[in-house]
Amino acid sequence: MDTDVLVVGAGPTGLMLANQLVRRGVRVLIIDRHAGPTLETRALGVQARTLEIYAKLSIVDRALELGKIGTGANIWAQGRKMARVPLGDAGKYITPYPFILILGQDDNERIMAEKLSDLGVSVQWNTELVSLAQQTGQVTATLKTPDGGTRKLVAAWVGGCDGAHSSVRQLNGITFPGAPYEHVFFIADTEATGSMVPDEVNVYLWQKGFHLLFPMRGKNHWRIVGILPPALRDKKDADFEAVIPSLGNAAGAGLAIKTCTWFSTYRIHHRSASRFHDRRCFLLGDAAHIHSPVGAQGMNTGLQDAYNLAWKLALVVKGQAEAALLDSYEEERMPVAQRLLHTTDRAFRLVVSESWLAGLLRTKVLARIAAFAMSVERVQMVAFRTISQTGIHYRNSTLSESLQGLPNSAPRAGDRFPWLRLKFRTDGSVEDLFQKLDDTRFNLIVIGQPAPLKEALGDVASSYPATPQF
Ligand SMILES: Cc1cc2nc3c(=O)[nH]c(=O)nc-3n(C[C@H](O)[C@H](O)[C@H](O)COP(=O)(O)OP(=O)(O)OC[C@H]3O[C@@H](n4cnc5c(N)ncnc54)[C@H](O)[C@@H]3O)c2cc1C
């Protein structure tokens, strides 16, 4: 066996999978057909749940240093500010990171690649997966190498993190049902001034569509995302100048654009693979699901796919769990992807519909409902949990079994572990339980009674290195 896991694709998902496997002692080979890392910002929003995972990977400080903290989102309709979603207040008891971090995909990839290199693994660029054969106990992959030749490689498992046109998916005959949207997105990185609330996300709804303005690092730097006006949709050479009039309509005459450093358009699809797993091959990130970028969930969902699969794969590789554990990856992550597809699709259709009625709904009804809803604390919390992805749980997974009769507010098996600050000793100071937990092994938390002796833990302690810590 040449490697335990072949990770195909060094985008954000592949880099996260490789990092999580390597820090758990798994042998990994990560390849990418491109010559080097992406230089495009692409996805921009890093959600709280991802930052919690970054903290465990010891890269959160670097991410916070490079990114810009967005503490709220403002909804504007026809030039008037209608509502504000206060991310900071709504999330301050839920996570140490009650905000959205504005950090480009290129920076996220760079930070993860640096970490991977610290762990002793480098991406093999200019290396493309061209065929796969699944055999009992192994997969033989044929790779196109940088010199133009091919070589065969035998891996125990394959992580398909190879994006929307995934070879791993196609070579396993897994279908990717869904459809393209008729709309074409544009993205522009600009220096601009206007009515935007500084350091916060600004959503401009108007009769004919929407524009999102994300604050970026540096003074007056804004990422503008919107859909191309219908007249420009089929133009191959649509440029930023051509979309400025529609921007003025949405964000008001006060919007002044000084420079535009990057402009790109892309057509989006909504699709989900019919399976996330075929024997020894797994699909993660865009290889498994693609959807509208409304809500800044895409990159985060891929990163969390990787986090979900990695600990399971590590246990199986090390012979500490049966391969059947891996079935729970699809069981847990497919519903997350499908729910996301459904909600982003509905939100997207509402914000892009060109009908007169939809325009009225968007600028009058939707904006007013949002204004009212966001004044209710409970709604703010639900919105925060949804957007930040801290509310995702696997209560229905076959891995989750809770005691009967627990109070409704009690944590359940399958929940994200709640963020708690506790005194570990009666005379001690308050400490952050997240920092104490070691996510590379099982943790036993005993509250209100003496720590059990290791012998009393029986199988748990003998199967896994479960040393009581506090
Ligand atoms: C222009 C643009 C703007 C975007 N803006 C946003 C946004 O604002 N918000 C948002 O959430 N999302 C956005 N996205 C989507 C976001 O970029 C993706 O969700 C994210 O990149 C998915 O990460 P991934 O690692 O799963 O796949 P990718 O980033 O696509 O990475 C896949 C990697 O696999 C490699 N690969 C493919 N096939 C092979 C093969 N056979 N052998 C070896 N390597 C292979 C590719 O070279 C690539 O590096 C945008 C995408 C684009 C193109």
Side-chain angles (χ1 to χ4, degrees):
M1 198 79 70
D2 297 308
T3 188
D4 294 326
V5 182
L6 169 65
V7 177
V8 184
T13 308
L15 289 166
M16 176 60 88
L17 181 65
N19 266 296
Q20 295 297 345
L21 289 168
V22 173
R23 67 194 278 263
R24 289 174 172 81
V26 175
R27 284 187 310 145
V28 166
L29 190 99
I30 174 167
I31 61 163
D32 198 293
R33 69 175 173 201
H34 284 155
T38 176
L39 299 175
E40 292 180 349
T41 10
R42 296 201 197 169
L44 200 66
V46 185
Q47 303 292 356
R49 182 65 194 122
T50 301
L51 292 171
E52 291 172 1
I53 294 170
Y54 278 7
K56 290 289 160 210
L57 196 52
S58 310
I59 57 173
V60 75
D61 291 341
R62 185 82 180 115
L64 294 173
E65 190 188 317
L66 290 178
K68 182 151 187 142
I69 289 175
T71 47
N74 302 279
I75 301 174
W76 301 75
Q78 304 282 76
R80 273 185 57 211
K81 191 168 144 197
M82 303 296 287
R84 177 175 181 271
V85 185
L87 291 173
D89 291 344
K92 68 182 174 202
Y93 299 117
I94 297 175
T95 172
Y97 311 105
F99 45 78
I100 178 169
L101 185 73
I102 311 294
L103 180 70
Q105 186 170 328
D106 51 346
D107 282 333
N108 281 280
E109 290 182 17
R110 188 154 51 87
I111 295 169
M112 282 190 278
E114 281 167 9
K115 184 71 198 176
L116 189 60
S117 156
D118 291 347
L119 295 172
V121 175
S122 304
V123 177
Q124 299 198 2
W125 297 106
N126 278 318
T127 307
E128 182 176 1
L129 173 77
V130 286
S131 81
L132 270 178
Q134 294 221 37
Q135 295 121 349
T136 312
Q138 63 182 45
V139 186
T140 303
T142 307
L143 309 181
K144 199 163 136 203
T145 49
D147 58 10
T150 56
R151 75 164 164 129
K152 289 214 185 299
L153 180 125
V154 180
W157 304 94
V158 173
C161 308
D162 46 349
H165 303 285
S166 168
S167 309
V168 176
R169 190 184 66 235
Q170 288 164 18
L171 291 166
N172 280 293
I174 299 175
T175 55
F176 201 34
Y181 288 105
E182 59 177 311
H183 304 88
V184 179
F185 263 82
F186 77 81
I187 306 167
D189 286 348
T190 65
E191 192 183 340
T193 52
S195 58
M196 299 81 80
V197 178
D199 298 336
E200 301 206 339
V201 180
N202 288 266
V203 182
Y204 288 93
L205 302 170
W206 62 300
Q207 189 68 26
K208 297 236 168 83
F210 77 99
H211 292 107
L212 301 174
L213 274 80
F214 293 92
M216 294 182 76
R217 201 170 54 231
K219 195 162 177 259
N220 296 331
H221 284 172
W222 292 92
R223 152 74 62 92
I224 307 178
V225 180
I227 46 164
L228 280 185
L232 299 176
R233 239 173 243 167
D234 296 319
K235 286 205 168 150
K236 289 257 173 302
D237 55 349
D239 61 7
F240 186 57
E241 293 298 313
V243 301
I244 288 180
S246 69
L247 263 169
N249 282 333
L255 181 74
I257 311 272
K258 209 166 153 200
T259 53
C260 172
T261 49
W262 180 54
F263 178 80
S264 178
T265 60
Y266 73 112
R267 192 175 279 276
I268 49 163
H269 296 242
H270 51 113
R271 296 180 185 278
S272 176
S274 51
R275 285 174 295 148
F276 282 14
H277 167 206
D278 181 45
R279 290 162 290 163
R280 295 189 157 257
C281 294
F282 294 86
L283 300 177
L284 306 90
D286 275 20
H289 44 78
I290 47 172
H291 36 80
S292 135
V294 168
Q297 305 286 303
M299 180 175 73
N300 294 274
T301 307
L303 295 175
Q304 287 163 50
D305 287 345
Y307 195 62
N308 184 294
L309 180 64
W311 70 266
K312 299 170 182 173
L313 207 43
L315 286 180
V316 173
V317 166
K318 291 198 251 162
Q320 292 174 332
E322 298 287 335
L325 174 64
L326 300 171
D327 293 343
S328 65
Y329 166 68
E330 175 177 297
E331 188 191 336
E332 292 175 354
R333 294 305 294 174
M334 206 179 217
V336 171
Q338 282 172 348
R339 232 180 354 258
L340 185 61
L341 263 163
H342 189 62
T343 44
T344 51
D345 185 50
R346 273 203 309 201
F348 185 63
R349 285 187 195 285
L350 187 62
V351 292
V352 297
S353 172
E354 284 148 23
S355 77
W356 172 85
L357 186 63
L360 200 69
L361 253 177
R362 191 161 48 231
T363 54
K364 300 276 191 261
V365 184
L366 179 72
R368 285 213 165 81
I369 291 176
F372 170 73
M374 286 310 152
S375 65
V376 181
E377 200 178 322
R378 225 185 111 65
V379 178
Q380 286 176 10
M381 304 260 285
V382 171
F384 179 81
R385 282 186 194 280
T386 307
I387 296 169
S388 66
Q389 303 197 342
T390 52
I392 291 172
H393 65 78
Y394 309 122
R395 288 183 183 182
N396 299 326
S397 166
T398 44
L399 297 185
S400 304
E401 208 173 304
S402 288
L403 287 177
Q404 296 295 319
L406 289 174
N408 278 345
S409 56
R412 304 286 157 128
D415 284 359
R416 155 188 165 274
F417 198 87
W419 179 45
L420 299 175
R421 278 146 302 163
L422 301 171
K423 276 188 179 179
F424 293 100
R425 288 176 220 295
T426 34
D427 55 352
S429 55
V430 175
E431 292 182 67
D432 181 338
L433 184 55
F434 266 17
Q435 283 179 12
K436 293 254 180 195
L437 293 176
D438 177 350
D439 68 338
T440 61
R441 58 190 196 171
F442 286 90
N443 294 254
L444 178 70
I445 298 166
V446 180
I447 293 177
Q449 50 185 297
L453 296 172
K454 194 167 179 188
E455 300 77 65
L457 296 173
D459 288 350
V460 179
S462 58
S463 309
Y464 312 111
T467 314
Q469 294 198 358
F470 8 92

